[in-house]
Amino acid sequence: MKSLVLAEKPSVAREIARVLGCREQHKHYLEGPNYIVTWALGHLIELKMPEHYNPAYKTWRLEDLPIIPEKMGLNVIRQTSHQFRAIETLAKRPDIKNCIIATDAGREGELVARWILQKIGWKKPLLRLWISSQTDQAIRDGFQHLKPGKQFERLYESAVCRAEADWLIGLNVTRALTTKYNEPLSAGRVQTPTLAMMIEREKEIQSFQPVPYWTIHANVGSVAAVWERNGERRIFSKQLAEQLYEKLKNKQATVISVERKTKKEPQPLPYDLTELQRDANKRFGFSAKKTLSILQRLYEQHKLVTYPRTDSRYLTTDMENTMLERLEAMKSGYVDEIAPLLKNKGKVVARRVFDNEKVTDHHAIIPTEERLDVGKLSADERKLYDLIARRFLALFYPACEYETVHIVFHIEGEAFIARETRVVNAGFRRVLEKQEEKMTFPTFTKGQTVSVMLEKKEALTEPPLRYSEADLLSQMEKYGLGTPATRADIIERLVETETVERKNGRFYPTPKGKQLIELVNEELKSPQLTARWEKELEAIARGNGDPKTFLQNIRKQTERLVAEIKQSERTYRAHNLTGSMCPECGSFLKERSTKEGRLLVCSNMACRFRKRKDPKLSNRRCPQCKKRMEIHEGKVGVYFQCRPCNVIEKAEEQKKAKLGHKERALLKKYSAENDSFGTSLGDLLKQVLEKKE
């Protein structure tokens, strides 16, 4: 008898199969003497869409809302149904004794596997592989300590509640807004309050009125002191600033007090996903999505870091005996930093990092015992790994010791304060940042009289900055919006739906986003609502919440939200209407910015007309001016055009075999999507490839 192992992705399945000795390869699975390893392709099963309950729901109508099925059903995703059928066939084999869930060890991974097994009608015993890294040793240990499937029933219930809540709220509110205002308007329990935060910040910026203020500085040699009264350094009265300056200039200062304190800064804890995304954004400008993507490769492909989607920054006590092995694995890339640590047998100085109570499903992100080969990493992978590695190494170094100096000078009874910090022992900061030599702070004694150079400066108060990705992640974490695993997707969703746009690393609400936040329900804008939901979902996962009550409340809320939208008297005005008319229905065209470039789409939602506004440039050069030619599709097939020279060349002429990668990709895309041209583009592509060969 054999165990059926269900992984989340083919790449992970292959690694598990290799470790388990499954060498017999098949299209949909790998087989060995004791195990059959198969895989999902992400989600193979989804909640049924409205049209699966009633074909009439395929057409969006406001009068059909809210759509609240009595019992939510599951549907096999058509595009990946072949893999589901393969798993279903394997599950029915008589030599299968049990199933081992080996999907990602988290709420979403549990849902991926359980929905597949539910759709199959699985009745045999169920076990769970729960590991935090993809190294061979971790996989072997995990299979030696498999957990009973029942232990994760509550986690599965929490995942179902989250999925159904997002379906009920997101789908109904999105359909209601879209049909009410004849514009694709997307809303949801996490994306809407996140958008609301950005809109609120934009209002603060737009309503901000700069106010002039003055500061007075006293330079005592290399020491800079600033005038201060009741903790305020700014003077908002020009007259007062000038009076003070005139009163104090050319006067000497007396040292009133000199206070020195020695302090210790503790080692920072290792990264959780959100803080790593924040730091990667600040240091390298990575989006949250990009950081997670790179991190996933370091985890799955290179096996150099532990499980990415964690919200904990602590380690379990039983991990202490693995520290030396992890350092040994890293030393090829950090020779100088690790050499002294190996002499100390890899002893962790920051003992507070080991705390079982503060580790939830997964511990912090740290390097694994896999040998580091920096040469195999891309530039971005090296950058991210270095952040994780150095934060981990900081645990083995002592705390940073520094001295603070606080000096108060008096000039004609007015206080000037100088503050300085000097590092005494860099400790862990040696591995986190370059240490710069600072000038020695001059020695002052109480009662000493010194000469000063006075300077008056004028400035303006500044508005708050728009959110960067790091700022937004901090706010989402603060209010409990989403989870570490979902926040990146939420941010990307807001960009894709054109409610915000990225400019120079910061988020700007669009006219569409500003209008949407005025139309959406007040209740949905509140981060407190979603934070409460996340707490309830977490309670369900821990066995302290009631899934039935949670979903009953979600259904009631859905009815209330849709009713509010139906009764609303507000209006929406499309900001991106052009003067051009749709050639198919005569409605005005809208201009949209997408990943494919600028598109013109019909404002009539029943009409599917769309065309590219910006022509795609090809690798083909104009024979006259040598500039890159535009690539177009038409009734005669694909052709190239140079507008300044009025040169047109068909793709099937002029040595088609010289088409570049972009042309080939476009030809493939057109042949897949459009066969209404005079020449079959599929045949054309075939001819091109044959000529190339």
Side-chain angles (χ1 to χ4, degrees), residues 577-591:
L577 279 177
T578 68
S580 303
M581 309 295 282
C582 173
E584 294 186 6
C585 73
S587 302
F588 282 109
L589 292 174
K590 294 178 183 175
E591 183 179 322

Side-chain angles (χ1 to χ4, degrees), residues 187-299:
R189 67 182 182 92
V190 179
Q191 71 183 63
T192 300
T194 304
L195 174 62
M197 287 193 302
M198 288 187 269
I199 299 288
E200 193 57 40
R201 174 59 59 90
E202 190 67 21
K203 286 179 180 176
E204 291 175 28
I205 293 168
Q206 296 303 327
S207 63
F208 182 82
Q209 296 292 329
V211 177
Y213 68 90
W214 291 261
T215 54
I216 301 176
H217 302 256
N219 297 310
V220 187
S222 61
V223 177
V226 183
W227 174 90
E228 197 171 302
R229 184 183 290 174
N230 299 324
E232 178 61 76
R233 294 181 168 196
R234 298 172 299 176
I235 304 168
F236 289 96
S237 164
K238 183 178 182 180
Q239 184 181 358
L240 176 58
E242 289 177 347
Q243 286 175 353
L244 275 173
Y245 180 74
E246 291 299 323
K247 171 187 171 185
L248 304 177
K249 72 178 182 179
N250 302 323
K251 299 291 195 304
Q252 287 195 313
T254 303
V255 179
I256 300 301
S257 65
V258 180
E259 187 178 343
R260 293 177 181 269
K261 287 183 180 178
T262 302
K263 296 182 179 180
K264 284 188 177 183
E265 180 186 357
Q267 305 87 339
L269 292 168
Y271 283 113
D272 61 11
L273 176 57
T274 301
E275 191 184 3
L276 180 60
Q277 288 171 318
R278 279 201 300 261
D279 275 9
N281 180 251
K282 290 174 185 174
R283 295 277 296 276
F284 314 125
F286 291 175
S287 69
K289 185 79 172 176
K290 180 175 181 177
T291 297
L292 183 54
S293 176
I294 296 168
L295 192 56
Q296 203 72 30
R297 291 201 300 274
L298 289 172
Y299 169 66

Side-chain angles (χ1 to χ4, degrees), residues 34-94:
N34 301 311
Y35 300 94
I36 297 172
V37 182
T38 187
W39 54 84
L41 297 166
H43 280 282
L44 299 183
I45 308 294
E46 62 184 356
L47 289 170
K48 284 184 176 180
M49 295 307 289
E51 56 267 27
H52 296 134
Y53 298 100
N54 185 341
Y57 291 155
K58 194 165 187 177
T59 302
W60 291 22
R61 287 188 293 262
L62 187 61
E63 55 269 25
D64 290 336
L65 302 175
I67 299 168
I68 304 178
E70 189 175 330
K71 186 176 184 341
M72 303 289 276
L74 298 178
N75 194 54
V76 178
I77 298 172
R78 185 175 58 83
Q79 293 89 332
T80 54
S81 59
H82 57 90
Q83 186 62 27
F84 172 77
R85 300 299 171 207
I87 297 171
E88 187 177 37
T89 301
L90 288 170
K92 291 176 181 176
R93 276 177 47 166

Side-chain angles (χ1 to χ4, degrees), residues 14 20 40 45 128 190 235 252-253 360 413 434 482 532 586-587 595-596 623:
R14 283 192 291 270
L20 297 178
I45 308 294
R128 186 56 157 109
V190 179
I235 304 168
Q252 287 195 313
T360 50
K434 288 182 180 179
R532 190 174 73 243
S587 302
K595 289 180 180 178
E596 301 171 358

Side-chain angles (χ1 to χ4, degrees), residues 125-359:
L126 195 60
L127 298 169
R128 186 56 157 109
L129 175 72
W130 195 269
I131 55 177
S132 287
S133 66
Q134 293 289 335
T135 63
D136 291 9
Q137 187 59 47
I139 292 170
R140 279 193 288 269
D141 289 347
F143 273 89
Q144 287 172 10
H145 300 92
L146 292 169
K147 301 175 186 295
K150 273 191 171 294
Q151 190 173 322
F152 300 90
E153 288 288 340
R154 302 296 284 183
L155 181 65
Y156 169 53
E157 288 176 354
S158 170
V160 171
C161 285
R162 196 276 309 159
E164 292 192 10
D166 283 348
W167 192 100
L168 289 164
I169 298 285
L171 183 142
N172 279 288
V173 173
T174 295
R175 283 198 175 204
L177 290 167
T178 299
T179 52
K180 171 90 173 179
Y181 301 107
N182 192 36
E183 175 75 11
L185 297 172
S186 178
R189 67 182 182 92
V190 179
Q191 71 183 63
T192 300
T194 304
L195 174 62
M197 287 193 302
M198 288 187 269
I199 299 288
E200 193 57 40
R201 174 59 59 90
E202 190 67 21
K203 286 179 180 176
E204 291 175 28
I205 293 168
Q206 296 303 327
S207 63
F208 182 82
Q209 296 292 329
V211 177
Y213 68 90
W214 291 261
T215 54
I216 301 176
H217 302 256
N219 297 310
V220 187
S222 61
V223 177
V226 183
W227 174 90
E228 197 171 302
R229 184 183 290 174
N230 299 324
E232 178 61 76
R233 294 181 168 196
R234 298 172 299 176
I235 304 168
F236 289 96
S237 164
K238 183 178 182 180
Q239 184 181 358
L240 176 58
E242 289 177 347
Q243 286 175 353
L244 275 173
Y245 180 74
E246 291 299 323
K247 171 187 171 185
L248 304 177
K249 72 178 182 179
N250 302 323
K251 299 291 195 304
Q252 287 195 313
T254 303
V255 179
I256 300 301
S257 65
V258 180
E259 187 178 343
R260 293 177 181 269
K261 287 183 180 178
T262 302
K263 296 182 179 180
K264 284 188 177 183
E265 180 186 357
Q267 305 87 339
L269 292 168
Y271 283 113
D272 61 11
L273 176 57
T274 301
E275 191 184 3
L276 180 60
Q277 288 171 318
R278 279 201 300 261
D279 275 9
N281 180 251
K282 290 174 185 174
R283 295 277 296 276
F284 314 125
F286 291 175
S287 69
K289 185 79 172 176
K290 180 175 181 177
T291 297
L292 183 54
S293 176
I294 296 168
L295 192 56
Q296 203 72 30
R297 291 201 300 274
L298 289 172
Y299 169 66
E300 288 181 5
Q301 183 182 332
H302 301 292
K303 304 182 181 183
L304 291 173
V305 301
T306 56
Y307 186 72
R309 299 164 187 261
T310 177
D311 60 357
S312 176
R313 297 181 61 200
Y314 290 84
L315 306 176
T316 53
T317 51
D318 62 346
M319 296 178 69
E320 189 170 0
N321 58 13
T322 71
M323 296 294 109
L324 184 58
E325 192 177 354
R326 294 174 197 268
L327 291 175
E328 289 278 5
M330 298 167 60
K331 68 181 180 183
S332 64
Y334 301 88
V335 177
D336 296 337
E337 293 89 342
I338 290 178
L341 307 183
L342 296 178
K343 291 178 184 176
N344 200 26
K345 297 183 179 179
K347 184 181 178 183
V348 172
V349 178
R351 305 295 305 164
R352 77 187 195 285
V353 74
F354 298 111
D355 191 334
N356 293 346
E357 296 294 318
K358 293 180 180 176
V359 175

